[in-house]
Amino acid sequence: MPKLHPVTTPPFLELTTRAREIFRLVVEGYLDTGMPVGSRTLAGGGALNLSPASIRSVLADLEKLGLLAAPHTSAGRLPTETGLRLFVDGMMQVAEPTREERAAIESRLAEPGPIEAALEATSAILSDLSACAGVVMVPQREARLRQLSLVSIAERRVLAIMVGEDGAVENRIVELGAPVPASALEEASNYITAHLSGRTLAEAAQSMRKDIASGRSALDAASHDLIERGIAVWSEDAARRPVLIVRGQANLLDESAVSDLERVRSLLDDLENKQSVADLLDMARDARATRIFIGSENRLFALSGSSVIASPYRDREGRVIGVVGVIGPTRLNYARVVPMVDFTARSLGRSLDKFIG
């Protein structure tokens, strides 16, 4: 079961048993249909055994508390962001994902491939199951490399081909200040491979620079320059790596989008700024439980009125290595999506054990 931190707010303490039940029915009705819920609908349901007039009186009280609002086009009520927060923290009942949902998540994560494929699969399956945009923050990791080869592609340009211990291959261009002979390329390749093998870039760079500075290496000046430039390029490239994978933006274009195109345009613009989204998700890294951001509770999605459900995923030692979640309208099925995100985070952490040590 996902862990949530219930919050007993003053409005909750002020509610009578009758008011709590009516409030719960309004919120659940709105989350189910997306439409305001009126007193006649509540009375017709038979669960309250109250007249429409009595229900309207309670609805008015809930509106005064700032928990419900009445759109000018309807006599019904819908929850405010404050009301949704109260419902999520103090009244919502969550359960484990269904057997079918768990099987779909685990089978997608069990597919072979590099770590990027597992992260993309996570984002895609969350998007499919939640009908929202699925997001995954890429683990902050430094790959351990197995081999490096340097190949001349122009007089002052070299292609660095790096092979990681996980089998991943990366190609990067190194711009040279002056032409370098083939013998220097071979010498630098062998030297770097010896220092990179089984190490991260930071570890290898520290060792190589120490050797060069102390004069312990037998490299010539051309090889020295090549290694220094290579280290700079690789470090810069690592800093520019994507920090976020987003899938399923099209799910945000639902029926309500037709009448609120400006909101959807704002949301899609926000999603384009992946660093800002990653910064928001980063707020969930230190959480012991799944975090829920509703509407204007986060500045990034304040204009689009969107909600974010995020949960950290951990390695086998319990260290947080990333965050997974969904982004969608405030009218989310929180009771279903929250445990789904929590289960996905736990499954992703287990599946990444083979990549992250």
Side-chain angles (χ1 to χ4, degrees):
M1 290 284 291
K3 298 177 182 178
L4 297 173
H5 295 303
V7 177
T8 304
T9 60
F12 188 87
L13 298 176
E14 295 177 21
L15 299 183
T16 64
T17 301
R18 173 187 293 182
R20 291 180 189 179
E21 182 63 13
I22 291 176
F23 174 71
R24 181 184 65 81
L25 291 173
V26 170
V27 175
E28 291 179 347
Y30 169 73
L31 294 180
D32 184 50
T33 66
M35 301 297 293
V37 179
S39 57
R40 292 188 180 277
T41 300
L42 294 170
L48 295 173
N49 195 27
L50 294 171
S51 68
S54 298
I55 295 175
R56 280 195 296 272
S57 176
V58 176
L59 291 175
D61 291 339
L62 291 170
E63 189 173 351
K64 290 177 182 177
L65 288 173
L67 301 177
L68 299 180
H72 65 277
T73 57
S74 170
R77 304 299 202 286
L78 48 78
T80 62
E81 289 182 1
T82 300
L84 284 175
R85 171 54 62 188
L86 173 65
F87 174 80
V88 167
D89 287 344
M91 305 179 73
M92 183 177 70
Q93 299 294 318
V94 298
E96 282 285 347
T98 65
R99 179 181 302 176
E100 292 77 14
E101 290 170 343
R102 294 197 304 271
I105 293 169
E106 290 179 333
S107 64
R108 187 76 68 92
L109 292 179
E111 295 176 0
I115 184 173
E116 288 77 13
L119 296 172
E120 290 194 12
T122 301
S123 184
I125 190 63
L126 264 182
S127 173
D128 292 344
L129 293 176
S130 68
C132 299
V135 293
V136 177
M137 183 183 290
V138 177
Q140 296 180 346
R141 69 184 183 106
E142 284 195 84
R144 295 188 179 275
L145 304 178
R146 185 172 64 201
Q147 182 181 352
L148 179 138
S149 299
L150 298 171
V151 180
S152 177
I153 56 176
E155 188 178 49
R156 299 188 180 187
R157 301 184 80 192
V158 172
L159 176 66
I161 306 171
M162 297 188 298
V163 181
E165 287 190 335
D166 61 357
V169 179
E170 295 187 22
N171 300 322
R172 308 181 192 179
I173 301 294
V174 178
E175 300 286 349
L176 304 178
V180 174
S183 59
L185 290 177
E186 182 178 1
E187 184 180 24
S189 296
N190 293 336
Y191 180 79
I192 295 174
T193 295
H195 283 75
L196 283 179
S197 183
R199 300 184 181 186
T200 67
L201 174 61
E203 293 168 347
Q206 183 179 15
S207 174
M208 288 188 290
R209 283 172 171 152
K210 185 181 297 184
D211 281 359
I212 292 173
S214 65
R216 288 199 299 268
S217 72
L219 297 173
D220 60 24
S223 297
H224 284 184
D225 180 66
L226 181 59
I227 290 172
E228 280 297 325
R229 289 178 181 274
I231 292 173
V233 168
W234 301 327
S235 300
E236 181 181 1
D237 180 83
R240 291 179 177 177
R241 286 178 181 274
V243 295
L244 195 73
I245 297 175
V246 182
R247 294 291 181 271
Q249 292 96 319
N251 286 336
L252 303 172
L253 302 175
D254 56 13
E255 296 83 355
S256 64
V258 177
S259 60
D260 199 357
L261 291 178
E262 192 58 37
R263 178 188 68 81
V264 175
R265 186 180 296 110
S266 175
L267 174 56
L268 294 178
D269 287 344
D270 291 338
L271 288 176
E272 283 299 311
N273 189 348
K274 291 188 176 181
Q275 183 59 57
S276 294
V277 179
D279 290 343
L280 171 63
L281 293 184
D282 202 47
M283 295 171 63
R285 288 182 63 90
D286 298 328
R288 295 182 179 179
T290 301
R291 290 288 303 272
I292 304 172
F293 304 92
I294 300 175
S296 60
E297 290 179 353
N298 68 83
R299 291 190 299 172
L300 177 61
F301 294 114
L303 294 179
S304 61
S306 305
S307 287
V308 179
I309 299 174
S311 181
Y313 57 95
R314 306 170 186 273
D315 62 15
R316 65 174 68 92
E317 280 80 33
R319 296 171 299 194
V320 174
I321 52 178
V323 179
V324 61
V326 300
I327 301 172
T330 53
R331 189 183 69 81
L332 276 174
N333 187 338
Y334 296 92
R336 174 174 174 265
V337 177
V338 168
M340 183 186 300
V341 170
D342 179 80
F343 179 82
T344 303
R346 288 183 277 124
S347 298
L348 178 59
R350 290 193 297 269
S351 73
L352 294 187
D353 277 349
K354 57 186 176 184
F355 297 110
I356 303 174

